[in-house]
Structures are given as structure tokens and as C-alpha cells.
């Protein structure tokens, strides 16, 4: 029977899956009372998470909720994140592997860092950064691909109390400049380049271009990844990473004692407006939460070889490649390249070669694997896998089942974890040894979390009805604010359902801007964003950011961007564009529009289709009807068009989308 048909039949058959017995027997968290215990003892239940860490000074108060929504966790305590990810493992696990790095080229000498070696290099880089002038609380920007020097630099920053701001390497020069300006960041660690599908990419050119748009002086450290392949000039305020490390050989830097609430890092993410948001995470709450969720949900144990295939440039990589796994002293795998190079079995080859025990990836990747077919994983022995995870967007039941069957061999639980940059760690998922799994539904709120699906008035919706996801109590991993913008923090996340005049925490409700549905067992199915944010291959992009990039292109008068369904990417960017002059609707302009988006944001935001139109459908009050543009992109039946000021434009736009 063809794979598709077989899967379809099975899909109809089974809707619920029990945790495999073999997994339950050895799981870190297997006691179903954990939900009740956390509820009864809230917020003190979170001391268990904090106790996964080593503290310089133990905390006095678990939660300070006196000024909502500016919550503070584990106040009075102090610690250092790099100490927790490195030093404390040295006695018992110094010779064990911390990072197993796999480069994209297959003839690469892959690099293995034991905890001892990682500790050494982190100390040297920390000393080097200090020499350059970095002090506690200075924001250091890291614009790097998946090279081991990225986690080294993150931990070096953490060691000296300098918050890092990692900018995804796929982002453009402009995006780098905006983030460095916004954070007033005077230090940059970047890289000359990296490999993508066999070709060297000259990343430094982008970094240089970005720096030329930053108004203040910046000291830059450059990692040499491409060696002789790429001969790049170095400026006066640019330092070679290897030289910096060599100069500091054997240096030891005492981990700086950080207050629980001191900033650990900043991470920029997209929102409704064009301006990216600097999400601020602090040391104790974030790290405790990353460690606790890694242990409870991903079942990380020190002896594992755990692999999260995300990019460290996103929050998933921060929490579940670097901070969570390393704080638990496990081996974390890092892969530089794409899953289809040199062949479509690259990931399975890595799983087999390294004996990977957990794999945490994204639905977009799983859909691609499914499309390529099971013959690729079938070539490899995947029996080392014990648990599978997914994150970033809703997973359709068919992809879930394919993953379960062909990667997990029907013997690994799958955790479908819903969370966000802002939440710091996982929020809704099943606990892999306790809860049954329902493909397509993320699962239950984690213990200690008060997640509810509500209607527009904030009232709980009945099972089966769609509503908005809300979080009604604080949690340790939560963002603390938007960097230097408390007002926007309150406005963006807390204004929808809270009584903002109240100082009673009960009156404050966090709104993640996702739609969701509950079933009769309390399982949550996340339906996707309800704001103007797209999720393209699990990458979060603001429609406004893309629109302003397009409007910046000469010849464009107006633009509207929406998401349309895409089999692999989940969503794809559809750009409807009005030109200044109709006769300018040319292929050349279309190319300039695509280039404009790539320059402003990066290739990840590239429009799937650019549709020229003389007009956009607007309501009588002049608002663009985005819902309608989405229906057109999806070739769905159109909703009500009677409220349009210009209903006659619709047929023409439909025609253009279909024929393009
Ligand atoms: O819409 C939700 C979706 O991704 C958004 C968060 O994106 P970002 O901050 O980039 O973080 C992604 C990685 C944590 C959410 O608002 N999302 C994330 N995980 C899931 C999801 N949607 C459905 N199911 C998930 N498991």
C-alpha cells in the first residue's frame, strides 16, 4: 500500500496514544500527582525547579507579585548561568561531552567539546571580551550561524554578566543594524561565513553592511569558519576570535555573581508593528524553567545524547540547545547544515552515528521528511531514540503520525510543545510518561501553569469552541519586560484581558496572541496567531515588517501581506502590491520587491507570490480586508464581501493569484 494511503487508514483508526511502557519505566517525571502537587503548593512548587541549579545565595522569596505585571522570581537569590552550565559539572562530568558539533560538509572534522574543554574556551573568551572592554550589563550582539563558538560566546557573556542578544544569522544586515541600535549594543561577535548545501556563504559581508548602518562605535570579534576559502579584510576595531582565545590561553574568569532578576539575555522577536520587540529574560527564573522543562518534558538525563535541531538564533535553541541541556550536564548535539545535504537522510545518519536519544524538531521539517518518504529514515538504525519533540507551529495529525511511526518506531512518546520567545520555555504539552497523546493537540498546561482558553470577554469557552489562549498566573520563565519599553510590554501582552488599573495579580492575564480550542479532557489545540504575525517554517514574521520593506521599494505605492497555506512551510508570504504606475507591473519590479524584503529582513521572509493589483479590498472605513486576502491566497471560498467599499476588485485579484 502506498505510504500515504496506509497512513490515512491508520489516522482514521487511532486518535489516542499511550506513553510507551519502556519509556515510562525510566522517565524523570512519572508520577501523575505532579499536577495536583504543583497546584496545591503554588508558587512554592517552583522551588523544585530552582533547586536544579546551584546558587551563590539562596533566594528569599519565590515570587514577588507586588507590582503586576512586573513579576520577579526567586528574589534575594544570586547565581551565575555559565557556572551552572559548566563549572558545577567539572568534577563528575568534566570528561563527558557537552557539545557534539557536526559541520555541514561531510569531510569535516567534527568537533567535540567536553565540559572541561567548553569551560576552558568559555573562560578564555570571557577574558577576551573583558579585555575589549565588555562590562556587566553591556549588551553583546552575537550574529552567528550554527558554529560552536556561538554557545561559547553566549556562556562567556553569561560568565561576565553581559547580556547577549543573538541575531539569527539568516537575518539581513538591516535587521542586525536595527537590533544593535535598539539595544545600544557596542560589541559584536560574528563569523566570516558558513556552509549551506555545500557552498560557503560569506556572512561577514552582511555583518559589515549591518555595522555600516549602526551609528555608534562597535568592537567586533570575527570567528574564522571558512579559513582559506574566504579571504576577508579586518578593520581596526575587528579582532580575530582565534587570536583572542590564544592571547588568553589558560585564563580563568570568576563567574560574576548575578542577582536572580539580572538580565541574562535579550531576544528580538516580531510583533504586530514594524519595530521588533526586545524580549528580556532574567537569570534565575529563565534558567530554572529551562532546566525544569528540559528534565520533565524532554526527559533529559546526563548520560543522554540529546539533539534539538533548531537554530540557536531562535529561542528554541537558547533554551533547548544551550541553557536547558547544559545546565543538566547532558550532551547536546549541534548541526550546522540543512537536513537535505548531501542527501535527504542527513539527520538520520547523525542520529545513528551519535546514538541520539531525543530529537526535538519542527513540524515544517517533519512535513518535508514526510514528503521525501520513509526510505530515507529506513536506511538507518534509529533505535537509540527514546523521545521525540516538536515545536514552533501546529502539527497536523498526519505529520504527527508519520513522525511517530517512521522516526519513533511506534515506541517513542512525542511531545508537541506550545510556547513562545516570551514564555522562555514550554507551556502546553503532554508530560511524556504520564499523559496520553492526541495527534494535533499540544496537550495540557504544564504543572503550575494556569492556561485557559477564553472568549473575547475573557470567559472560559466550552469544549470544542475556539477562543483565545491566555495565561492567568505568572511562571518563572516568563519575559520580564520589553527592553527599555515597559509601556509596550504592558500594552502588547497584558492590556487585552487585564484590569490594568489593578495591583491585584489575579486581575492580570497574559495574552500570547494565539487562538486555541479545548477538548472535553482539557487538551489544548493551538490554532495559530490571531495578530498580524505569520509563522513561516516555524519562523515568526510580522506582516508589518514585510509590508514596510515592500513599500520602501521604488515604484510601490501600497502593500498588504498575508499568510497562505503551504504544505511544507505551514504558511507562506503572499504580498499584494499596488504600484505607483500600473504600467510598472513588471517582472523587474517583482524581483526588486523580493530583494527589498530579503534586504530588510532576510530570505526567510521572501514572498511566495507577489500579486500586483490596482486596488486592495477595503472596508468602508478604509481598512484592508486581510481575511479576504488570505482566502484569495488559499483559493478558499470567500467570506462576506458586502461590507467592502470596492467589492468589484476581488474577482480580478483572484484571477491574478490563480494565473501567476
Ligand atoms: O503561534 C505559536 C507558535 O509559535 C509562536 C511563537 O513563536 P516564537 O516566539 O518564534 O517561538 C517559537 C518556538 C517556541 C506561538 O505564538 N507555536 C509555537 N509552538 C507551537 C505553536 N503553535 C502550535 N503548536 C505548537 N507546538
Amino acid at each position: 500500500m502506498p505510504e500515504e494511503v496506509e497512513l490515512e487508514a491508520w489516522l482514521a483508526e487511532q486518535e489516542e496514544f499511550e506513553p510507551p511502557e519502556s519509556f515510562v519505566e525510566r522517565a524523570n517525571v512519572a508520577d501523575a500527582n505532579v499536577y495536583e502537587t504543583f497546584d496545591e503548593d503554588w508558587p512554592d512548587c517552583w522551588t523544585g525547579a530552582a533547586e536544579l541549579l546551584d546558587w551563590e545565595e539562596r533566594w528569599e522569596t519565590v515570587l514577588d507579585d507586588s507590582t503586576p505585571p512586573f513579576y520577579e522570581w526567586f528574589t534575594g537569590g544570586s547565581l551565575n548561568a555559565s557556572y551552572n552550565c559548566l563549572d558545577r559539572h567539572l568534577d563528575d562530568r568534566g570528561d563527558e561531552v557537552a557539545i557534539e558539533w557536526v559541520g555541514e560538509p561531510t569531510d569535516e572534522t567534527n568537533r567535540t567539546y567536553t565540559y572541561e574543554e567548553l569551560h576552558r574556551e568559555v573562560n578564555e573568551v570571557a577574558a577576551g571580551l573583558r579585555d575589549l572592554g565588555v562590562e556587566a550589563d553591556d549588551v553583546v550582539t552575537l550574529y552567528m550561524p550554527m558554529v560552536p563558538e556561538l554557545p561559547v560566546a553566549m556562556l562567556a557573556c553569561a560568565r561576565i554578566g553581559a547580556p547577549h542578544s543573538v541575531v539569527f544569522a539568516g537575518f539581513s544586515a538591516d535587521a542586525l543594524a536595527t537590533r544593535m541600535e535598539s539595544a545600544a549594543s557596542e560589541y559584536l561577535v560574528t563569523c566570516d561565513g558558513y556552509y549551506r548545501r555545500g557552498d560557503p556563504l560569506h556572512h561577514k559581508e552582511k555583518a559589515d553592511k549591518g555595522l555600516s548602518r549602526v551609528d555608534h562605535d562597535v568592537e567586533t570579534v570575527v570567528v574564522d569558519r571558512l579559513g582559506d576559502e574566504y579571504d576577508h579584510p579586518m578593520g581596526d576595531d575587528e579582532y580575530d576570535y582565534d587570536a583572542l582565545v590564544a592571547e588568553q590561553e589558560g585564563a580563568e574568569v570568576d563567574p560574576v555573581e548575578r542577582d536572580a532578576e539580572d538580565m541574562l539575555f535579550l531576544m528580538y522577536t516580531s510583533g504586530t508593528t514594524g519595530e521588533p520587540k526586545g524580549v528580556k529574560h532574567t537569570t534565575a527564573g529563565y534558567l530554572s524553567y529551562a532546566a525544569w522543562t528540559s528534565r520533565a518534558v524532554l526527559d533529559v538525563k546526563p548520560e543522554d545524547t540529546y539533539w534539538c535541531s533548531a537554530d540557536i538564533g531562535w529561542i528554541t535553541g537558547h533554551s533547548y540547545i544551550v541553557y536547558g541541556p547544559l545546565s543538566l550536564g547532558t550532551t547536546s548535539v549541534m548541526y550546522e547544515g540543512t537536513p537535505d545535504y548531501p542527501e535527504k537522510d542527513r539527520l538520520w545518519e547523525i542520529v545513528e552515528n551519535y546514538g541520539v536519544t531525543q530529537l526535538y524538531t519542527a513540524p515544517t521539517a517533519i512535513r518535508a521528511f514526510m514528503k521525501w518518504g520513509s526510505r530515507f529514515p529506513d536506511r538507518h538504525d534509529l533505535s537509540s531514540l527514546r523521545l521525540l519533540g516538536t515545536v514552533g507551529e501546529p502539527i497536523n495529525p498526519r505529520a504527527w503520525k508519520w513522525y511517530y511511526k517512521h522516526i519513533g518506531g511506534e515506541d517513542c512518546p512525542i511531545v508537541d510543545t506550545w510556547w513562545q520567545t516570551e514564555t522562555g520555555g514550554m507551556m502546553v504539552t503532554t508530560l511524556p510518561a504520564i499523559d496520553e497523546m492526541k495527534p494535533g493537540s499540544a496537550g495540557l498546561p504544564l504543572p503550575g501553569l494556569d492556561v485557559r482558553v477564553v472568549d473575547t470577554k475573557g470567559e472560559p469557552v466550552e469544549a470544542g469552541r475556539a477562543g483565545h489562549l491566555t495565561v492567568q498566573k505568572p511562571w518563572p520563565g516568563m519575559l520580564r519586560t520589553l527592553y527599555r519599553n515597559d509601556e509596550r510590554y504592558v500594552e502588547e501582552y497584558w492590556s487585552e484581558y487585564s484590569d490594568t488599573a489593578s495591583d491585584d495579580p489575579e486581575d492580570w492575564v497574559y495574552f500570547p496572541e494565539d487562538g486555541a480550542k479545548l477538548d472535553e479532557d482539557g487538551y489544548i489545540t493551538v490554532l495559530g496567531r490571531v495578530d498580524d504575525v505569520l509563522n513561516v517554517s516555524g519562523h515568526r514574521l510580522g506582516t508589518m515588517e514585510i509590508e514596510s520593506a515592500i513599500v520602501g521599494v521604488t515604484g510601490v505605492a501600497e502593500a498588504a501581506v498575508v499568510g497562505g497555506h503551504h504544505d511544507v512551510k505551514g504558511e507562506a508570504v503572499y504580498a499584494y502590491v499596488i504600484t505607483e504606475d500600473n504600467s510598472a507591473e513588471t517582472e523587474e519590479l517583482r524581483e526588486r520587491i523580493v530583494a527589498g524584503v530579503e534586504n530588510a529582513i532576510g530570505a526567510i521572509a521572501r514572498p511566495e507570490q507577489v500579486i500586483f493589483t490596482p486596488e486592495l479590498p477595503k472596508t468602508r472605513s478604509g481598512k484592508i480586508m486581510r481575511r479576504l486576502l488570505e482566502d484569495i491566497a488559499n483559493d478558499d471560498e470567500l467570506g462576506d464581501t458586502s461590507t467592502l467599499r470596492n467589492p468589484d476588485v476581488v474577482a480580478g485579484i483572484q484571477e491574478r493569484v490563480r494565473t501567476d
Side-chain angles (χ1 to χ4, degrees):
M1 216 187 309
E3 218 169 90
E4 264 308 87
V5 178
E6 193 187 346
L7 212 59
E8 206 61 59
W10 190 40
L11 185 76
E13 242 166 62
Q14 196 174 352
E15 287 312 324
E16 283 158 20
F17 294 75
E18 291 298 327
E21 225 13 80
S22 55
F23 180 86
V24 177
E25 280 165 13
R26 299 181 45 225
N28 286 339
V29 176
D31 180 358
N33 289 327
V34 63
Y35 290 101
E36 224 180 318
T37 326
F38 266 65
D39 279 349
E40 281 166 5
D41 196 25
W42 196 90
D44 291 343
C45 53
W46 290 113
T47 52
E51 281 166 354
L52 292 173
L53 306 179
D54 282 6
W55 294 72
E56 191 83 36
E57 195 71 55
R58 197 180 157 93
W59 62 92
E60 283 156 16
T61 312
V62 172
L63 168 66
D64 176 352
D65 58 4
S66 55
T67 49
F70 298 94
Y71 298 102
E72 296 191 340
W73 287 87
F74 309 117
T75 54
S78 63
L79 73 173
N80 181 283
S82 122
Y83 178 88
N84 273 283
C85 291
L86 299 169
D87 306 51
R88 66 174 180 146
H89 305 312
L90 294 181
D91 281 349
D92 293 342
R93 304 191 47 76
D95 295 334
E96 304 292 334
V97 177
I99 293 178
E100 195 76 79
W101 180 77
V102 184
E104 192 192 83
T106 40
D107 55 0
E108 179 83 38
T109 323
N110 295 325
R111 276 190 264 166
T112 292
Y113 287 76
T114 62
Y115 274 94
E116 187 88 48
E117 288 161 344
L118 189 61
H119 177 262
R120 188 178 319 135
E121 192 161 319
V122 166
N123 271 273
E124 290 164 350
V125 174
L129 289 174
R130 267 212 181 138
D131 258 15
L132 290 186
V134 180
E135 288 177 11
D137 297 319
D138 288 344
V139 176
V140 179
T141 302
L142 309 178
Y143 185 44
M144 288 155 103
M146 288 289 281
V147 290
E149 290 81 359
L150 173 54
V152 168
M154 290 164 78
L155 294 170
C157 287
R159 195 162 192 90
I160 57 177
H164 52 73
S165 164
V166 179
V167 176
F168 174 57
F171 273 134
S172 67
D174 275 3
L176 170 68
T178 315
R179 285 157 179 74
M180 289 194 76
E181 288 276 357
S182 161
S185 172
E186 296 176 348
Y187 302 93
L188 173 70
V189 185
T190 187
C191 182
D192 61 345
Y194 53 107
Y195 291 94
R196 261 303 165 276
R197 295 200 173 85
D199 294 323
L201 278 192
H202 295 175
H203 185 64
K204 186 161 184 296
E205 280 170 16
K206 261 196 330 186
D208 287 347
K209 207 160 128 194
L211 282 175
S212 71
R213 291 172 199 169
V214 174
D215 281 338
H216 53 264
D217 290 339
V218 176
E219 308 274 335
T220 304
V221 179
V222 185
V223 173
D224 185 6
R225 162 80 184 103
L226 297 179
D228 295 340
E229 274 239 38
Y230 176 33
D231 195 14
H232 53 83
M234 293 282 274
D236 283 347
D237 44 11
E238 294 187 332
Y239 305 87
D240 174 61
Y241 178 95
D242 292 329
L244 184 115
V245 168
E247 236 170 67
Q248 303 294 340
E249 200 188 330
E252 286 193 18
V253 174
D254 281 342
V256 169
E257 185 174 340
R258 295 289 277 170
D259 187 89
E261 281 294 313
D262 278 343
M263 175 156 59
L264 178 61
F265 67 86
L266 257 182
M267 165 126 263
Y268 282 91
T269 188
S270 296
T272 312
T273 70
E275 181 92 349
K277 306 187 278 195
V279 169
K280 173 179 164 180
H281 282 293
T282 57
T283 310
Y286 170 82
L287 196 61
S288 310
Y289 200 67
W292 190 84
T293 47
S294 297
R295 189 177 173 279
V297 182
L298 299 168
D299 200 48
V300 169
K301 304 181 205 301
E303 62 274 21
D304 285 335
T305 299
Y306 153 89
W307 185 15
C308 165
S309 73
D311 192 292
I312 294 178
W314 307 107
I315 191 73
T316 306
H318 277 52
S319 302
Y320 300 113
I321 298 178
V322 183
Y323 286 112
L326 297 184
S327 66
L328 297 179
T330 196
T331 299
S332 187
V333 177
M334 223 184 130
Y335 171 51
E336 178 183 40
T338 57
D340 55 353
Y341 186 85
E343 283 210 60
K344 296 189 170 75
D345 67 341
R346 187 69 195 269
L347 298 199
W348 320 125
E349 185 184 81
I350 297 173
V351 168
E352 180 172 13
N353 287 352
Y354 290 90
V356 171
T357 42
Q358 293 100 325
L359 177 69
Y360 189 32
T361 188
T364 186
I366 298 166
R367 288 191 297 264
F369 304 148
M370 195 162 116
K371 210 169 124 193
W372 299 337
S374 59
R375 66 179 197 284
F376 294 104
D378 286 353
R379 286 183 197 161
H380 297 277
D381 177 3
L382 306 181
S383 60
S384 57
L385 287 169
R386 180 171 92 241
L387 170 138
L388 302 175
T390 135
V391 58
E393 45 174 327
I395 179 162
N396 42 316
R398 197 189 296 169
W400 191 101
K401 290 193 173 182
W402 189 92
Y403 194 33
Y404 184 77
K405 187 175 167 74
H406 294 288
I407 307 304
E410 298 178 52
D411 204 27
C412 295
I414 295 182
V415 286
D416 172 1
T417 59
W418 173 85
W419 58 291
Q420 311 180 294
T421 305
E422 292 85 344
T423 67
M426 300 154 175
M427 301 292 280
V428 176
T429 171
T430 48
L431 281 173
I434 298 175
D435 305 310
E436 64 179 19
M437 299 161 267
K438 303 186 188 187
S441 169
L444 299 164
L446 277 173
L449 299 190
D450 186 357
V451 178
R452 299 186 210 170
V453 183
V454 301
D455 62 21
T456 45
K457 293 198 196 76
E459 299 300 326
V461 297
E462 293 161 33
R465 305 293 291 259
H468 285 169
L469 206 55
T470 58
V471 189
Q472 312 233 351
K473 271 192 196 137
W475 65 100
M478 67 194 299
L479 80 165
R480 297 304 195 261
T481 191
L482 292 178
Y483 191 53
R484 295 180 170 164
N485 204 340
D486 289 347
E487 213 175 296
R488 188 169 176 203
Y489 166 66
V490 177
E491 173 60 33
E492 291 260 354
Y493 304 106
W494 302 92
S495 60
E496 190 85 17
Y497 291 110
S498 309
D499 171 1
T500 51
S502 167
D503 54 15
D504 181 352
E506 298 272 313
D507 294 330
W508 287 82
V509 174
Y510 174 83
F511 180 38
E513 312 224 41
D514 270 311
K517 195 168 80 176
L518 270 187
D519 75 5
E520 53 299 332
D521 299 323
Y523 273 53
I524 294 170
T525 296
V526 179
L527 301 170
R529 305 285 303 193
V530 295
D531 56 359
D532 294 329
V533 168
L534 305 184
N535 194 329
V536 179
S537 301
H539 301 321
R540 183 165 155 183
L541 300 167
T543 50
M544 277 279 283
E545 286 171 88
I546 308 176
E547 284 167 11
S548 63
I550 297 178
V551 174
V553 173
T554 314
V556 173
E558 200 178 342
V561 163
V562 300
H565 295 306
H566 189 282
D567 279 353
V568 174
K569 296 179 184 171
E571 270 188 302
V573 175
Y574 281 76
Y576 297 88
V577 174
I578 305 181
T579 56
E580 276 172 353
D581 166 3
N582 286 353
S583 64
E585 293 180 0
T586 59
E587 209 39 50
E588 184 265 340
L589 178 58
R590 195 170 266 143
E591 278 165 22
R592 282 198 290 116
I593 289 171
V594 172
V597 172
E598 289 192 2
N599 285 336
I601 303 164
I604 48 168
R606 224 184 131 89
E608 185 79 12
Q609 257 195 56
V610 175
I611 305 118
F612 291 124
T613 169
E615 266 185 87
L616 289 166
K618 290 192 176 159
T619 60
R620 295 210 174 84
S621 60
K623 262 187 85 179
I624 297 172
M625 278 265 275
R626 291 171 178 283
R627 181 83 31 92
L628 194 68
L629 292 173
E630 279 168 19
D631 290 343
I632 296 175
N634 293 328
D635 207 2
D636 284 346
E637 205 168 301
L638 301 187
D640 183 12
T641 55
S642 63
T643 55
L644 284 182
R645 187 169 65 186
N646 49 356
D648 41 316
V649 301
V650 175
I653 305 180
Q654 264 179 320
E655 184 58 31
R656 285 175 181 229
V657 173
R658 285 182 189 147
T659 53
D660 253 0

